[in-house]
């Protein structure tokens, strides 16, 4: 474990035990740790309250790990905000030392850090990803907000490694318009899969 783990703190918007609602790990019991702070600026972000890191209390890594251990699931998802604004190595090492699987959801806008079992890379048009994300991404989750996003998704499909899972996910408020297009696209381009925000259908956090 990182020797100074107890002295390291991160701005935490919220942490909670739930079911992962989207992506490859959809349906799994997961402990979410949502970091405050993001400068990517997605217009359709559903957690804009996470953007200002100063609004969220600094929480020690020791506390975060202790709280995660209160639940039976051993999958932790680090999300945001944009978690890669911070050095993720101390937190991920501490979680792994306690037997947790570590997943990240990131736009890749900052240099990669941390010890991860799964990297979900969800690039955004508003800020270019750092090149360090491409070789380590396990999952490319492209959000489809309008028709031009298919070409955007293909751009990054060319940059990630060959084993990376490719997913297209409709932006929630555009689902009625975009989902039929995504279905047709995946049928024509079967290297892609569809991701849905199932937690919103199930009405869970």
């Amino acid at each position: 474990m990182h020797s100074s783990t107890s002295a390291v703190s991160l701005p935490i918007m919220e942490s909670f035990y739930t079911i992962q609602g989207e992506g490859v790990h959809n349906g799994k019991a997961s402990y979410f740790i949502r970091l405050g702070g993001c400068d990517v600026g997605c217009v359709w972000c559903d957690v804009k309250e996470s953007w200002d890191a100063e609004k969220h209390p600094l929480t020690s890594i020791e506390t975060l790990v202790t709280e995660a251990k209160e639940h039976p699931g051993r999958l932790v998802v680090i999300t945001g905000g944009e978690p890669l604004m911070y050095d993720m190595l101390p937190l991920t090492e501490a979680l792994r030392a306690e037997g947790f699987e570590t997943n990240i959801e990131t736009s890749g806008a900052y240099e990669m850090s941390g010890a991860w079992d799964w990297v979900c890379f969800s690039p955004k048009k508003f800020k270019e990803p750092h090149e360090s994300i491409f070789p380590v991404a396990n999952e490319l989750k492209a959000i489809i907000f309008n028709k031009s996003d298919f070409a955007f998704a293909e751009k990054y499909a060319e940059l990630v490694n060959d084993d990376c899972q490719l997913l297209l996910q409709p932006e929630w408020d555009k689902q009625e318009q975009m989902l039929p297009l995504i279905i047709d696209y995946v049928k024509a381009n079967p290297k892609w899969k569809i991701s849905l925000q199932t937690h919103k259908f199930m009405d869970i956090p």
Side-chain angles (χ1 to χ4, degrees):
M1 185 180 292
H2 197 277
S3 59
S4 59
T5 291
S6 60
V8 179
S9 298
L10 293 163
I12 302 300
M13 177 185 158
E14 58 183 349
S15 53
F16 54 96
Y17 190 53
T18 187
I19 301 294
Q20 170 62 284
E22 57 191 68
V24 171
H25 291 275
N26 174 41
K28 293 183 180 179
S30 308
Y31 188 74
F32 273 72
I33 298 174
R34 186 182 302 282
L35 276 69
C38 186
D39 61 0
V40 178
C42 303
V43 293
W44 36 258
C45 177
D46 56 5
V47 281
K48 288 190 170 87
E49 59 270 30
S50 71
W51 290 5
D52 186 352
E54 293 185 3
K55 290 184 177 179
H56 304 292
L58 289 172
T59 305
S60 72
I61 286 174
E62 185 177 30
T63 297
L64 290 169
V65 174
T66 297
E67 291 175 349
K69 287 166 64 178
E70 293 174 359
H71 306 278
R74 284 297 176 264
L75 170 60
V76 171
V77 180
I78 312 295
T79 185
E82 175 43 67
L84 290 181
M85 290 178 70
Y86 312 97
D87 178 9
M88 288 287 95
L89 190 60
L91 175 57
T92 52
E93 283 187 335
L95 287 166
R96 279 184 155 187
E98 294 294 337
F100 286 99
E101 179 183 342
T102 56
N103 290 18
I104 186 173
E105 296 184 353
T106 176
S107 68
Y110 288 85
E111 187 170 2
M112 198 67 202
S113 65
W116 303 104
D117 295 295
W118 191 265
V119 174
C120 174
F121 168 42
S122 187
K124 306 299 189 293
K125 290 180 175 177
F126 315 101
K127 194 176 178 79
E128 280 287 311
H130 190 277
E131 62 184 10
S132 59
I133 190 77
F134 303 138
V136 298
N138 302 108
E139 171 182 349
L140 170 64
K141 185 173 67 182
I143 308 302
I144 305 299
F145 183 75
N146 56 45
K147 291 180 181 178
S148 67
D149 290 328
F150 290 105
F152 179 79
E154 291 291 358
K155 169 186 172 181
Y156 288 103
E158 291 294 317
L159 295 172
V160 294
N161 65 80
D162 291 341
D163 295 327
C164 185
Q165 301 268 343
L166 305 179
L167 285 82
L168 300 175
Q169 178 171 298
E171 196 278 325
W172 181 253
D173 292 329
K174 293 279 190 174
Q175 186 156 284
E176 192 172 323
Q177 302 100 300
M178 291 297 116
L179 190 53
L181 301 181
I182 293 173
I183 291 168
D184 287 343
Y185 194 88
V186 170
K187 287 165 72 176
N189 301 274
K191 67 181 180 181
W192 292 94
K193 298 178 184 177
I194 297 175
S195 172
L196 298 175
Q197 291 181 295
T198 62
H199 57 292
K200 294 186 176 180
F201 291 107
M202 292 186 285
D203 195 27
I204 57 176

